Amino acid sequence: MLTKKNALVIGGSRGIGAAIVNRLTREGADVLFTWSGSRNQAEELSRRTGARAVRTDAANRAALLATVREAGPIDLFIFNAGICISGNPLTLDPDDIDRMIDINIRAAYHASVEVARLMPDGGRIILIGSTNANRVPFTGLAAYSMTKSALQSMVRGLARDFGERRITVNVVQPGPTDTDMNPANGPLSDLMHSVMAIKEHGTADDVAAYVSFLVSAEGRGITGSMQTIDGGFSA
Ligand code: NDP
């Protein structure tokens, strides 16, 4: 279904990003993805799917924008890279918080704008946010949730900026999803499940399937929106 589409996934080596790379290649897209720390996973994913991989630290704006430019015209852009720094705000290292802001917000904004320069009409921009943009029921998540809330107004605004070119811009907001960042058997799982309607982690493949619909031709009317897939975490 996505044959002849060029896709770029920022942060595709593991977890949700890797599931998106897998899904888009399976649907026929020509996929390039970036990675930063996980060389083995990136190389294995590349071998398995045929997607091309390039090392780029999303926190390095110049390097990130160079990678986006070198990718040429991109039809489907997914910004998935993200880190979660959580804990007592009084004791968290401010440098760690700033690095999270660099990756989760600044990189998402600058890469989305850069990719839009060459994006053909009817292209797709998807940012991976979090249900924590809507609801923060636990301590220690203020800064992380703030970074994901920023994506909400980002997509509202960029959807207006690029709407004339029929480019859609949306944020997909997963709830607890079984990855290295948030393993289903982790120590906080019971707490997370206690605020969910469906008391289990989702899978990265569920999120990738949702992304695949949004980038399809049928997704053309969905823009400037928050698409939440969280087992009722924010209900
Ligand atoms: P993982 O930690 O499992 O994977 C994170 C991915 O982001 C890796 O591919 C990693 O690449 C990449 N990444 C991180 N930092 C950088 C960087 N500086 N430059 C390039 N790539 C980077 O996380 P998830 O798959 O769980 O999360 C993916 C997204 O989904 C994140 O934005 C996260 O905030 C969001 N999310 C996750 C939820 C969950 O429960 N899992 C819930 C809600 C939102 P590498 O290892 O190569 O550095």
Side-chain angles (χ1 to χ4, degrees), residues 10-18 33-39 41-42 55-60 64 79-84 99 103-104 127-132 144 147-148 151 172-183 192 201-202 204 207:
I10 303 297
S13 52
R14 292 183 291 116
I16 292 170
F33 71 90
T34 71
W35 57 279
S36 174
S38 302
R39 176 185 297 279
Q41 286 97 326
R55 184 177 205 172
T56 310
D57 180 0
N60 179 336
L64 178 64
F79 189 94
N80 167 77
I83 60 172
C84 178
R99 181 169 167 80
I103 297 167
N104 294 13
L127 312 180
I128 304 299
S130 166
T131 189
N132 287 129
Y144 175 73
T147 67
K148 297 303 188 177
L151 303 184
V172 168
Q173 305 188 139
T177 305
D178 186 18
T179 65
D180 296 340
M181 184 188 280
N182 187 358
M192 285 183 241
H201 274 47
V207 180

Side-chain angles (χ1 to χ4, degrees), residues 30-154:
D30 185 351
V31 180
L32 172 68
F33 71 90
T34 71
W35 57 279
S36 174
S38 302
R39 176 185 297 279
N40 291 344
Q41 286 97 326
E43 288 177 353
E44 205 279 318
L45 181 65
S46 182
R47 258 195 310 277
R48 189 157 47 81
T49 61
R52 288 165 298 131
V54 58
R55 184 177 205 172
T56 310
D57 180 0
N60 179 336
R61 174 155 51 95
L64 178 64
L65 297 192
T67 294
V68 172
R69 267 182 230 119
E70 281 159 24
I74 293 296
D75 302 287
L76 318 174
F77 178 69
I78 321 295
F79 189 94
N80 167 77
I83 60 172
C84 178
I85 306 293
S86 59
N88 183 345
L90 302 181
T91 53
L92 285 174
D93 183 339
D95 287 340
D96 290 343
I97 300 295
D98 284 355
R99 181 169 167 80
M100 178 168 66
I101 290 169
D102 285 348
I103 297 167
N104 294 13
I105 305 180
R106 292 180 60 227
Y109 176 81
H110 291 302
S112 298
V113 170
E114 193 60 32
V115 83
R117 294 184 202 284
L118 292 182
M119 183 171 265
D121 287 3
R124 302 277 188 269
I125 295 175
I126 292 180
L127 312 180
I128 304 299
S130 166
T131 189
N132 287 129
N134 291 345
R135 187 177 187 209
V136 190
F138 313 124
T139 60
L141 284 172
Y144 175 73
S145 305
M146 169 187 77
T147 67
K148 297 303 188 177
S149 298
L151 303 184
Q152 299 190 331
S153 37
M154 199 183 295

